[in-house]
């Protein structure tokens, strides 16, 4: 028994040394001192003591005999690692170097710095930004009639295009010196979000030139001449851009572009110049049918050696006028009946001078860097803004509908099943807005977080789809009958489109989030990969040795943190917060340590096969994603000064993220190729069992109630969308009726009381109200209030019906 206690003491000392990251000398001394005390006190039998001292000696030798370790351990590990890791291609190097690492590094560390997160405080909008958001944006929204855009014009009306050009909607991100607005990414997102709450077609038309179009590439990579020529034209809408990347043979795998450009000489403006001869086929290109300038990605070859360097020059991007000879455009796709301009592009024997390449000759072969760097910004702005706008519309107006629509004499929003859906709508909306806000902060402070923007694109479009599906369930028949009264169905149509663009969501989840995150955000992996590529053998061993020691300490430290935090369910974690926020910081710190440890073990076990083990990489990506969303929720709650009435929303959002983390871990361990190791990992991470079960029903009811009545929480949750109080519009009717619901309900109760007592006779509503006023049951104001409210309800409940013969049908008979 005495020996067992001393063994446990040794394990505890080792665990504490790893947990506290004491360093080589301190850890060796602590273990040696404990072993010495045990030996002196006779705690171990002689043979066991000898074995333990030999193990300690080997441990000390490994840590402190640097030359021996490098020759006999590090060198052999490096040789093995080189065999496992194939040589990095230039494209892979560019992809790894592109973008920056930000809060994702903290989540990978196992010890997130919550003080750092709290310091990410948004600056207020500038006066110019406030004026634009409060002026031209709602003015544009007022011009938009989505039913007419979809079913009559199949495009934005000409006055809308004119207004967008004149008011600078196509130059939101272009610097003021080129005639643009020079707005922040946060303002750009706010513009798209408000437009999306009114018309998805308008939102997409604005967001593409400002995030996916050539303007962003020109800002970062264009030559002075290119900037001077194109940016002013783009800012005033004189040129409408599109970006042509996707083709039939290269969708999500953009590195496999089959579109080839060959360096050659040709004629341009009557002069013989060096250029590129192109053939290309692109599809799914937004704004292609109306674009005047095309940002074109292709693979460049120089078979005749007209440029110095190799034949294969890599992915390159150029700006191609849409009216260049050989370019064919104008055809349209129809993405799920949402009529934003989208279509294919074709090029046959097109000649483009080298000066059209973005960046000129210096831009040759830099296309992949451009795409990864700049398009990742678009992932963090455009689609997240659109998805969040959609979620806010669903939260605000489906909540209102659930309060106003009654069944069995009770608002449907009081039914427990409906409240579950409303809680999911509100909670997901809160998560989405929080994650959008945190990412925009990073982008506006110079970050280009490729991993986090991939997380944002995937999870916000997926959550947006879930929100709309829940809203459709609540609204039932009113959600599926198309017409001007239906504000929801267009979103139901468009969300699958958002899911597919800027990288298909399945591949984003399975391959990109963790696959790229494990290399970029991990504190050691990228440096180890680069050390392996070092040509100087001695320098490679020296660098790899230091990284290997650090990585081993990192792995053991997170193993200890996972276990000890798991025993206390996070309570050992030292965090700056207190109360509810502090407790969630502790739980997330535990999950961060568990993630870092599990990721290291998985990479060590599976190695290069991990990218093909999508059930493992996807679930690790899910954990990283939910950690990011939960971090964003904590920050969002703190940014809004932690209003007590919003606490149910924040708690629901955090509990939901934690439950998803637990589910992802369960799936990870269940799919481990070594089941015993999977079981051991589960025990180390969750030694007291799985604690994350999601929001409970009582919390869900509190969250649902926030959507059923006007209030500050509802306003904060849905802030930034276009609000109408026009009774001629569906959303305006809902807003007006909800504002009157409580007062009208009091009058209704008086009326029912009079009916029950026999003071009034049952009749048509108008007759009943007249009787009530004549009998003194209701006064004139109450009659007017209830009558107006009932009229609004009739309009809200009504769905569109169209005259017979108004739908065109194609005869199938000869």
């Amino acid at each position: 028994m005495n020996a067992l206690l001393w063994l446990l003491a040794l394990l505890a000392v080792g665990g504490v040394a790893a947990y506290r990251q004491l360093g080589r000398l301190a850890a060796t001394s602590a273990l040696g001192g404990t072993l010495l005390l045990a030996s002196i006190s006779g705690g171990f039998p002689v043979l066991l003591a000898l074995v333990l001292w030999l193990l300690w000696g080997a441990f000390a030798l490994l840590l402190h005999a640097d030359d021996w370790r490098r020759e006999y351990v590090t060198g052999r590990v490096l040789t093995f690692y080189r065999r496992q890791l194939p040589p990095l291609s230039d494209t892979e190097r560019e992809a790894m170097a592109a973008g920056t690492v930000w809060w994702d590094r903290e989540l990978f560390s196992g010890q997130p710095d919550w003080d750092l997160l709290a310091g990410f405080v948004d600056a207020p909008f500038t006066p110019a930004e406030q004026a634009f958001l409060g002026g031209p944006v709602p003015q544009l929204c007022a011009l938009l009639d989505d039913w007419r855009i979809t079913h009559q014009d199949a495009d934005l009306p000409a006055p809308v295009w004119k207004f967008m050009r004149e008011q600078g909607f196509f130059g939101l991100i272009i610097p003021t010196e080129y005639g643009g607005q020079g707005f922040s990414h946060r303002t750009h997102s706010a513009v798209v979000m408000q437009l999306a709450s009114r018309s998805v077609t308008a939102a997409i038309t604005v967001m593409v030139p400002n995030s996916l179009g050539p303007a962003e590439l020109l800002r970062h990579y264009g030559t002075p001449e290119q900037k001077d020529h194109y940016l002013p034209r783009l800012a005033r809408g004189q040129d409408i851009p599109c970006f042509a990347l996707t083709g039939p043979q290269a969708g999500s795998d953009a590195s496999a572009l089959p579109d080839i450009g060959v360096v050659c000489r040709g004629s341009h403006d009557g002069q013989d110049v060096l250029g590129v001869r192109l053939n290309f086929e692109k599809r799914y290109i937004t704004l292609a049918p109306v674009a005047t300038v095309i940002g074109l990605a292709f693979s460049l070859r120089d078979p005749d050696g007209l440029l110095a360097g190799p034949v294969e020059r890599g992915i390159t991007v150029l700006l191609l006028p849409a009216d260049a000879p050989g370019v064919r455009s104008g055809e349209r796709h129809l993405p799920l009946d949402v009529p934003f301009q989208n279509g294919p592009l074709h090029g046959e024997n097109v000649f483009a001078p080298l000066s059209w390449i973005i960046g000129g000759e210096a831009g040759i072969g830099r296309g992949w860097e451009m795409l990864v760097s700049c398009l990742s910004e678009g992932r963090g702005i455009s689609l997240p803004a659109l998805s969040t706008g959609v979620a806010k519309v669903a939260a605000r107006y489906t909540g209102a509908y659930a309060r106003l629509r009654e069944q069995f004499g009770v608002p449907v929003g009081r039914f427990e099943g409906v409240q579950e859906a409303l809680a999911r709508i509100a909670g997901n909306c809160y998560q989405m807005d929080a994650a959008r806000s945190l990412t925009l902060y990073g982008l506006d402070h110079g970050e280009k977080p490729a991993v986090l923007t991939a997380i944002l694109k995937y999870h916000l479009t997926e959550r947006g789809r879930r929100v709309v599906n829940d809203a459709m369930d609540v609204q039932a028949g009113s959600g599926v009958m198309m017409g001007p009264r239906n504000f929801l169905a267009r979103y139901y149509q468009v969300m699958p489109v958002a899911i597919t663009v800027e990288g298909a969501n399945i591949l984003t989840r399975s391959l990109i989030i963790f696959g790229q995150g494990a290399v970029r955000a991990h504190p050691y992996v990228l440096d180890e990969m680069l050390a392996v590529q070092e040509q100087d053998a001695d320098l490679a061993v020296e660098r790899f040795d230091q990284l290997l020691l650090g990585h081993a300490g990192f792995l053991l430290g997170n193993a200890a943190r996972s276990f000890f935090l798991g025993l206390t369910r996070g309570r050992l974690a030292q965090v700056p917060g207190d109360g509810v926020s502090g407790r969630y910081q502790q739980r997330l710190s535990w999950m961060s340590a568990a993630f870092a440890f599990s990721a290291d073990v998985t990479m060590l076990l599976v190695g290069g096969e991990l990218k093909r083990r999508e059930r493992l990489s996807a679930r690790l990506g899910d954990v990283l994603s939910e950690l990011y969303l939960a971090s964003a929720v904590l920050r969002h709650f703190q940014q809004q000064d932690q209003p007590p009435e919003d606490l149910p929303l924040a708690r629901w959002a955090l509990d939901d993220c934690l439950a998803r983390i637990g589910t992802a871990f369960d799936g990870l361990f269940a799919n481990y190729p070594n089941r015993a190791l999977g079981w051991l990992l589960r025990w180390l991470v969750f030694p007291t069992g799985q604690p994350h079960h999601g929001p409970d029903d009582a919390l869900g009811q509190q969250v649902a109630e926030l959507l059923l009545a006007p209030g500050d929480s509802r306003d904060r949750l849905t802030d930034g969308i276009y609000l109408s109080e026009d009774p001629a519009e569906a959303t305006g009717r809902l807003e007006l009726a909800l504002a009157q619901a409580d007062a009208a309900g009091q009058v209704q109760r008086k009326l029912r009381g009079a009916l029950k007592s026999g003071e009034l006779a049952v009749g048509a509503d108008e007759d009943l109200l007249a009787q009530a006023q004549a009998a003194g049951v209701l006064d004139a104001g109450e009659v007017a209030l209830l009558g107006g409210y009932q009229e609004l309800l009739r309009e809200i409940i009504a769905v569109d019906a169209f005259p017979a013969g108004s739908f065109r049908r194609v005869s199938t008979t000869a």
Side-chain angles (χ1 to χ4, degrees):
M1 181 61 71
N2 197 32
L4 179 60
L5 291 175
W6 276 110
L7 279 174
L8 291 175
L10 273 174
L11 288 173
V13 169
V16 170
Y19 185 98
R20 304 295 298 178
Q21 296 283 283
L22 292 183
R24 287 187 283 172
L25 181 59
T28 307
S29 300
L31 286 169
T34 306
L35 186 55
L36 181 61
L37 287 174
S39 300
I40 292 173
S41 66
F44 294 126
V46 175
L47 184 59
L48 178 58
L50 179 61
V51 171
L52 291 173
W53 275 111
L54 287 173
L55 289 173
W56 179 86
F59 178 70
L61 180 68
L62 185 64
L63 288 188
H64 299 286
D66 294 343
D67 292 339
W68 177 86
R69 184 185 62 250
R70 287 169 184 162
E71 181 175 355
Y72 292 102
V73 179
T74 305
R76 295 178 181 181
V77 174
L78 178 60
T79 300
F80 173 78
Y81 196 12
R82 277 182 171 147
R83 287 200 300 265
Q84 298 298 309
L85 183 70
L88 296 177
S89 67
D90 291 340
T91 298
E92 289 171 325
R93 287 177 180 271
E94 289 175 6
M96 289 193 300
T100 61
V101 180
W102 183 47
W103 183 248
D104 38 342
R105 183 180 289 275
E106 291 294 323
L107 298 175
F108 247 104
S109 73
Q111 302 183 65
D113 185 345
W114 300 111
D115 281 325
L116 177 67
L117 182 70
F120 297 156
V121 179
D122 289 330
F125 292 116
T126 66
E129 291 170 332
Q130 289 177 332
F132 193 81
L133 290 170
V137 179
Q139 290 167 16
L140 175 57
C141 287
L143 294 174
L144 298 170
D145 180 341
D146 196 65
W147 179 255
R148 174 179 171 177
I149 290 168
T150 303
H151 290 274
Q152 183 173 326
D153 299 333
D155 189 11
L156 297 173
V160 170
W161 280 100
K162 182 174 183 291
F163 184 87
M164 290 192 298
R165 286 186 171 96
E166 291 175 346
Q167 297 298 321
F169 278 87
F170 297 118
L172 300 179
I173 63 169
I174 295 175
T176 54
E177 58 263 34
Y178 295 103
Q181 304 282 12
F183 289 159
S184 67
H185 294 302
R186 182 163 161 248
T187 303
H188 171 199
S189 174
V191 171
V192 172
M193 186 171 68
Q194 189 171 164
L195 292 178
S197 70
R198 185 68 168 172
S199 166
V200 171
T201 299
I204 293 173
T205 303
V206 168
M207 78 188 197
V208 169
N210 286 292
S211 60
L212 307 179
E216 185 72 5
L217 297 175
L218 283 170
R219 285 177 58 208
H220 293 282
Y221 299 101
T223 65
E225 295 77 14
Q226 290 170 339
K227 293 178 182 179
D228 290 340
H229 175 75
Y230 276 112
L231 289 180
R233 295 171 62 89
L234 291 167
R236 58 178 177 262
Q238 183 177 351
D239 271 329
I240 299 296
C242 69
F243 190 83
L245 174 61
T246 303
Q249 305 303 321
S252 296
D253 184 9
S255 64
L257 284 174
D259 306 302
I260 302 298
V262 178
V263 179
C264 64
R265 304 200 69 86
S267 177
H268 177 67
D269 288 341
Q271 297 183 349
D272 181 66
V273 298
L274 197 59
V276 181
R277 186 72 63 183
L278 290 156
N279 290 282
F280 58 87
E281 181 182 5
K282 304 290 187 179
R283 64 181 180 184
Y284 311 151
I285 309 305
T286 300
L287 296 187
V290 296
T292 61
V293 60
I294 302 164
L296 182 71
F298 63 98
S299 295
L300 182 63
R301 302 185 73 249
D302 182 21
D304 297 326
L306 298 178
L307 301 171
V311 172
E312 303 296 337
R313 303 308 299 266
I315 296 174
T316 301
V317 180
L318 61 75
L319 294 178
L320 182 66
D323 60 359
V327 175
R328 177 161 58 89
S329 62
E331 295 177 304
R332 293 183 64 176
H333 300 310
L334 189 56
L336 289 180
D337 203 34
V338 182
F340 62 92
Q341 293 284 344
N342 185 280
L345 288 168
H346 303 272
E348 185 175 352
N349 202 30
V350 178
F351 181 76
L354 292 185
S355 60
W356 288 3
I357 294 174
I358 294 181
E361 289 192 41
I364 290 174
R366 297 185 66 191
W368 187 246
E369 174 191 348
M370 295 180 186
L371 296 176
V372 172
S373 178
C374 291
L375 295 188
S376 69
E377 290 190 27
R379 286 196 189 103
I381 301 170
S382 302
L383 290 169
L386 185 148
S387 301
T388 306
V390 168
K392 290 189 175 191
V393 168
R396 190 173 187 93
Y397 298 120
T398 297
Y401 182 86
R403 168 63 179 85
L404 300 169
R405 182 74 165 108
E406 293 188 357
Q407 293 287 287
F408 311 107
V410 179
V412 297
R414 304 295 183 202
F415 289 92
E416 292 179 354
V418 173
Q419 288 192 335
E420 287 184 7
L422 292 176
R424 289 193 298 268
I425 290 170
N428 279 295
C429 183
Y430 194 83
Q431 291 170 342
M432 294 167 70
D433 205 26
R436 181 186 70 92
S437 175
L438 176 56
T439 309
L440 291 170
Y441 175 89
L443 293 172
D444 277 329
H445 285 77
E447 301 290 344
K448 298 180 184 295
V451 175
L452 296 183
T453 53
I455 288 173
L456 205 69
K457 186 270 173 179
Y458 168 69
H459 283 278
L460 267 61
T461 55
E462 289 290 347
R463 277 170 164 78
R465 174 158 64 176
R466 294 183 197 127
V467 165
V468 172
N469 285 345
D470 276 328
M472 292 288 286
D473 284 352
V474 172
Q475 299 211 186
S478 67
V480 298
M481 296 302 166
M482 295 293 291
R485 297 172 184 272
N486 191 335
F487 65 88
L488 191 60
R490 187 71 57 230
Y491 298 135
Y492 185 76
Q493 289 176 302
V494 80
M495 287 314 299
V497 179
I499 297 288
T500 65
V501 298
E502 292 190 60
N505 272 7
I506 290 177
L507 291 180
T508 300
R509 172 180 179 254
S510 300
L511 297 177
I512 295 176
I513 292 175
F514 182 75
Q516 195 170 358
V519 175
R520 291 305 314 277
H522 193 286
Y524 294 101
V525 168
L526 178 58
D527 290 336
E528 287 169 345
M529 293 175 68
L530 295 177
V532 168
Q533 304 295 318
E534 174 60 54
Q535 298 302 310
D536 186 316
D538 292 337
L539 184 58
V541 170
E542 183 179 347
R543 287 181 179 175
F544 194 74
D545 181 67
Q546 293 302 310
L547 293 167
L548 195 61
L549 279 176
H551 197 156
F554 177 76
L555 172 63
L556 292 173
N558 280 315
R561 285 179 58 79
S562 296
F563 182 70
F564 286 125
L565 292 178
L567 285 176
T568 62
R569 301 208 164 184
R571 288 180 174 84
L572 274 181
Q574 296 179 341
V575 297
D578 54 16
V580 174
S581 293
R583 182 69 188 108
Y584 279 112
Q585 287 174 351
Q586 289 180 325
R587 294 169 71 185
L588 292 172
S589 293
W590 169 25
M591 290 299 97
S592 174
F595 166 71
F597 172 56
S598 300
D600 263 330
V601 173
T602 305
M603 287 188 287
L604 184 64
L605 178 67
V606 182
E609 288 293 309
L610 184 58
K611 62 184 178 182
R612 284 181 283 276
R613 298 285 189 122
E614 295 179 16
R615 291 185 179 90
L616 299 178
S617 63
R619 287 177 169 92
L620 285 167
D622 289 344
V623 177
L624 177 60
S625 299
E626 298 299 335
L627 281 170
Y628 182 65
L629 267 68
S631 301
V633 169
L634 276 176
R635 172 187 177 268
H636 196 60
F637 187 56
Q638 293 168 342
Q639 283 265 300
Q640 296 183 334
D641 297 324
Q642 304 188 59
E645 59 271 29
D646 287 6
L647 183 58
L649 268 173
R651 287 182 55 215
W652 192 102
L654 288 162
D655 286 348
D656 180 67
C657 288
L658 285 165
R660 292 175 188 271
I661 288 172
T663 299
F665 270 125
D666 287 342
L668 172 71
F669 300 144
N671 281 280
Y672 246 63
N674 185 314
R675 293 302 177 89
L677 184 56
W679 179 89
L680 178 61
L681 275 176
R682 185 192 300 273
W683 178 77
L684 283 170
V685 170
F686 299 117
T688 60
Q690 168 64 266
H692 306 313
H693 305 294
D696 61 33
D697 292 336
L699 182 59
Q701 182 179 3
Q702 294 176 49
V703 171
E705 289 290 340
L706 297 176
L707 298 186
L708 298 178
D712 292 340
S713 289
R714 178 175 178 262
D715 290 341
R716 277 190 293 268
L717 181 65
T718 61
D719 182 49
I721 64 174
Y722 179 75
L723 301 179
S724 171
E725 293 187 353
D726 184 352
E729 296 185 353
T731 58
R733 287 191 291 269
L734 285 164
E735 202 73 8
L736 288 170
L738 186 65
Q740 300 173 16
D742 284 345
Q746 293 178 7
V747 177
Q748 187 74 50
R749 283 190 290 275
K750 289 176 64 175
L751 194 62
R752 288 173 180 167
L755 284 168
K756 187 175 181 180
S757 67
E759 190 175 355
L760 296 175
V762 177
D765 287 348
E766 293 79 4
D767 294 338
L768 187 60
L769 290 176
Q771 284 185 54
Q773 184 174 358
V777 173
L778 302 178
D779 60 31
E782 290 173 322
V783 168
L785 170 65
L786 188 56
Y789 178 74
Q790 290 174 339
E791 180 58 34
L792 279 175
L793 284 186
R794 279 191 287 271
E795 288 296 313
I796 288 168
I797 293 171
V799 295
D800 293 288
F802 301 93
S806 60
F807 301 124
R808 294 182 179 180
R809 302 187 186 278
V810 178
S811 175
T812 58
T813 59

